[in-house]
Amino acid sequence: MNQKSEDNIFNIVQFSKNQLESIFDHLEPMFLVNSQYRIIRLNQSMADLISKDFNDCIGQPLQRVFPEWDHDLFINNINLALFSGRPVDIHDYTMTDQGKRGWYEITFYPVITVEKFPDECVVFFKNVTELYLTKKILLEQYKRLEEQQTILE
């Protein structure tokens, strides 16, 4: 293979890598954590959510990157995902998103390696604030309707 062919292959691979990185950064907020609870990678959406530069987060422990979180809850669910080899969900987790309170569904996915033993976990965040607030409003309206029915009876 000549130098020009090698350069073309390199350029194609680099272009593909850049496209994948761009897609990854625009997915739902997520991060990859190892069994020592250190951040291996996070995407730009996650960095935006926590208002931090993602390069400053790589290699750092969860407690340093996310000091306001319930660490026992996160560590327990990371361990559960790693040891069970199955995804684990948290529903209606409350956290601050750029100064506003928000509700999230968080899913912990174990990363199965070649050895078939998970030692890393991908953590996805899905903002369900609108759904949560809508559900809350509907429940309040339902309670008022029940109260009015009781009064009418």
Side-chain angles (χ1 to χ4, degrees):
M1 194 180 319
N2 63 28
Q3 185 63 38
K4 187 173 181 175
S5 296
E6 288 179 15
D7 289 345
N8 285 340
I9 291 171
F10 176 81
N11 289 336
I12 291 169
V13 169
Q14 191 63 38
F15 178 77
S16 297
K17 178 183 178 273
N18 291 342
Q19 283 185 314
L20 288 173
E21 288 284 332
S22 179
I23 291 168
F24 177 77
D25 282 338
H26 291 90
L27 293 173
E28 294 282 342
M30 70 175 100
F31 64 89
L32 179 65
V33 62
N34 65 16
S35 58
Q36 288 79 42
Y37 317 113
R38 290 190 175 274
I39 304 296
I40 297 171
R41 178 76 164 94
L42 70 159
N43 67 356
Q44 188 60 52
S45 297
M46 187 72 211
D48 292 345
L49 176 65
I50 62 173
S51 301
K52 294 187 180 181
D53 183 304
F54 68 85
N55 290 317
D56 294 339
C57 300
I58 306 301
Q60 298 298 318
L62 281 175
Q63 287 89 343
R64 186 168 297 145
V65 177
F66 311 111
E68 68 282 357
W69 287 5
D70 180 347
H71 293 104
D72 290 338
L73 179 69
F74 275 78
I75 288 171
N76 290 340
N77 283 289
I78 288 167
N79 286 336
L80 183 57
L82 291 177
F83 293 120
S84 71
R86 304 172 112 172
V88 177
D89 293 315
I90 298 175
H91 297 279
D92 297 335
Y93 183 77
T94 305
M95 61 184 279
T96 302
D97 177 358
Q98 299 175 0
K100 295 184 205 171
R101 187 172 181 197
W103 285 264
Y104 291 81
E105 286 183 0
I106 304 170
T107 305
F108 301 81
Y109 290 97
V111 177
I112 309 296
T113 61
V114 175
E115 295 84 27
K116 304 282 188 223
F117 182 75
D119 63 349
E120 296 174 352
C121 188
V122 179
V123 183
F124 284 90
F125 289 71
K126 181 177 182 186
N127 188 331
V128 293
T129 301
E130 286 185 38
L131 178 64
Y132 180 85
L133 294 175
T134 301
K135 188 166 91 174
K136 184 177 174 184
I137 290 168
L138 288 173
L139 284 172
E140 289 170 0
Q141 289 175 345
Y142 180 75
K143 285 180 186 178
R144 275 191 245 132
L145 182 60
E146 279 186 329
E147 289 171 2
Q148 289 174 355
Q149 274 186 318
T150 304
I151 292 171
L152 291 175
E153 290 176 356

